[in-house]
Amino acid sequence: MTDTLHFPPATGIGSLPGTDAREAAKAATGSFEDFPHLPELPARGPGADMIGRTAGLLVELYARVEPSGWRIGDRPGRDTRRARSWLGEDLDALEEFTQGHEGLLKVQAVGPWTLAASLELRNGEAALSDPGACRDLAASLAEGLRLHLDEVRRRVPGARLVLQLDEPSLTAVLRGQVRTASGYRTHRAVDRQIVEAALRDMIAVHDGGPVVIHSCAPDVPFALLRRAGAAGISFDFSLLTERDDEAIGEAVEGGTRLFAGVVPGTDGPLSDPAGSVMGVRTLWRRLGLRPGLLPEAVTVTPACGLAGASPGYARSAYAHCVRAARSLADNPE
């Protein structure tokens, strides 16, 4: 059960710079020995990007690249084959570097609402514009994720899988801020209950396994994600405001793990590890939470994926996450 699950203190988000699957797998598994993740390498091009990779997982739905972005089509084409080929390469590399691994292992995919906001229908509008298309897309994604998780289990049989759903567009979907193809209007906001129900169905695909929902956008809907059944919520810590305090306090007290993105996702000077988690300690004091609860409730991560970073910075950022998490555990006050 997810409520007794012990999440390790640090992990990555998903994407890394470069095009070498083995180098990326080595970085993700070597940096986070007790909580590695399957890397994503968008620099390889369409199909290795977040949307294209997840589109390649869909069952009986296919997508191809158009000048405006990814569009749903009738049959698998070159773009689908490329997406699946790169995922296979990444899984081969992960399998090589996780021989004998028996802890948690995280895999990432785009969630149903960001996918619906990003994939175009034949008319060029986002799937989000059509409730029926949203349902079909969610059903196809659910089946694709089920098969993907089975494949990872087969390759790394000792691992306990954590599924991360990337939902950076979720707040825009809820607020009616996703732009139409013309750019002059926005799509109507989707009812919160419909959003929550689709996420709950997607979380159920993992069959009782832990699901983390990640968004590096502002105003993450913490309460909605908890109601949908997320075991953890991953977010860019720098975007929090005091408006989020109550929802975060309730999440911690309800046993939801916080994946706090405190290490910047692009190149820049890194503060000392204790300085990186100072804001987390300050938040804890403000909420009146017990300091000893900090390492039990927080996993330290980069603020977002590291695709836009240099390879050297990405390695440093991963090492920094581990040191910052240790600082939090050693000195929670």
Side-chain angles (χ1 to χ4, degrees), residues 51-166:
I51 299 301
R53 186 184 187 89
T54 300
L57 294 175
L58 297 174
V59 172
E60 293 181 9
L61 273 182
Y62 309 100
R64 63 178 187 272
V65 180
E66 297 285 338
S68 52
W70 284 90
R71 182 171 296 184
I72 294 171
D74 294 322
R75 59 183 69 85
R78 185 187 58 195
D79 299 321
T80 299
R81 286 194 295 274
R82 195 172 5 184
R84 291 176 177 172
S85 167
W86 275 327
L87 177 58
E89 225 176 85
D90 293 338
L91 288 170
D92 289 344
L94 182 76
E95 186 177 356
E96 178 185 344
F97 287 99
T98 50
Q99 294 293 311
H101 178 71
E102 294 196 330
L104 294 181
L105 169 64
K106 183 164 69 68
V107 297
Q108 307 83 220
V110 175
W113 294 108
T114 296
L115 201 60
S118 306
L119 277 185
E120 297 173 0
L121 300 172
R122 288 173 185 77
N123 65 4
E125 286 298 350
L128 191 65
S129 63
D130 180 338
C134 289
R135 286 191 294 274
D136 290 347
L137 193 54
S140 172
L141 176 61
E143 188 54 33
L145 284 176
R146 197 173 282 116
L147 294 171
H148 180 47
L149 291 166
D150 285 347
E151 170 73 359
V152 181
R153 278 188 204 100
R154 186 183 66 73
R155 288 169 174 266
V156 194
R160 178 161 188 199
L161 298 188
V162 175
L163 172 62
Q164 176 181 303
L165 295 175
D166 292 321

